[in-house]
Amino acid sequence: MTNKIAIFGFKDSSAGQLFNFLPQDIKQKVDCFISVGEKIDIDIKEEHNKRPNTKTSFIENDRINGLPVFFTKDITKILSDRNIDAVYIIEDTGKLREQVYNIVSALKIKILNFIHESVLLAGKNTIGEGAIIFPKNYIAYKSDIGKCCYLEPNNNIEHHNVVEDYCNILGNVATGGFTKISKHTQINMHVDIIDKITIGKESIIGTGSLVLGSIGDNQLWYGRPAKYIRNC
């Protein structure tokens, strides 16, 4: 039975949304936010001036959403000291999530999935441990989502796809059937990918791109149609 939960991540746009989506009984078990990334000192007033509203939450007095935030590489100590027995992992990058996953797995602490109630799983899907899937995603027949993947809202992942571990799919992405998105890849908003495409590991597809052919490892592609820009 889960008693105390930590959320790995701290940004209002990701960890804040996740916290907001949690049912009240689960939310009450969240003890803290933790990040293995670097803490950045910001001017909150200046940050609000950059945004169209002032509702964005920022860390103040080492707290956010009323809960403490810890920045540390020694997450074993924090988890032990605070008696954490389950975690969500929503750090920004796949590499940070993999780092956290490996440590937490070794400690035999439960790694939780979050799949919003509006997500449609069409059948015979596999969802990896620690995946975070925000509202209105469609995961079609026999498509698989790897561990600690992060899917923002409104993606259409078509049939017989494989999204490997630690990928970011950042909203309004549409894939054709038989597509493979390899480990640590980021697909930005409003990307369309035709069928039978492979996108190599640790690659990035720029916002609004149309992908018509397979892409190698560690490459940035952008445009309609997408073109090679540079190595990542």
Side-chain angles (χ1 to χ4, degrees), residues 20-40:
N20 179 67
F21 286 140
L22 294 176
Q24 191 60 36
D25 60 328
I26 302 299
K27 189 179 294 186
Q28 290 174 350
K29 296 180 180 181
V30 177
D31 174 77
C32 63
F33 295 86
I34 306 172
S35 181
V36 294
E38 297 296 328
K39 183 179 181 180
I40 301 173

Side-chain angles (χ1 to χ4, degrees), residues 51-178:
R51 290 166 169 78
N53 66 50
T54 58
K55 294 181 181 178
T56 304
S57 296
F58 296 100
I59 297 170
E60 297 186 71
N61 301 316
D62 296 320
R63 300 180 75 84
I64 195 167
N65 290 313
L67 297 171
V69 185
F70 301 97
F71 288 85
T72 179
K73 302 295 184 185
D74 187 6
I75 63 177
T76 300
K77 184 176 189 307
I78 291 290
L79 295 170
S80 175
D81 287 351
R82 301 189 72 85
N83 297 311
I84 302 297
D85 56 10
V87 302
Y88 293 102
I89 305 174
I90 194 168
E91 295 273 22
D92 272 0
T93 70
K95 288 191 175 180
L96 286 178
R97 296 198 298 275
E98 183 174 26
Q99 180 182 340
V100 172
Y101 178 91
N102 289 338
I103 295 170
V104 173
S105 293
L107 295 172
K108 301 192 182 306
I109 290 173
K110 187 174 183 180
I111 298 171
L112 301 169
N113 290 68
F114 174 78
I115 302 174
H116 191 270
E117 62 185 2
S118 65
V119 172
L120 177 57
L121 301 175
K124 299 189 177 180
N125 308 106
T126 300
I127 307 297
E129 187 179 23
I132 305 291
I133 306 180
F134 277 2
K136 296 185 177 180
N137 277 274
Y138 172 61
I139 315 297
Y141 175 66
K142 290 188 176 179
S143 281
D144 299 329
I145 306 298
K147 63 189 177 188
C148 288
C149 285
Y150 172 36
L151 279 68
E152 292 191 348
N154 299 311
N155 298 297
N156 189 94
I157 307 300
E158 262 301 342
H159 62 90
H160 298 87
N161 276 210
V162 174
V163 180
E164 291 189 336
D165 301 341
Y166 312 112
C167 288
N168 288 352
I169 313 291
L170 296 187
N172 294 288
V173 169
T175 70
F178 304 102

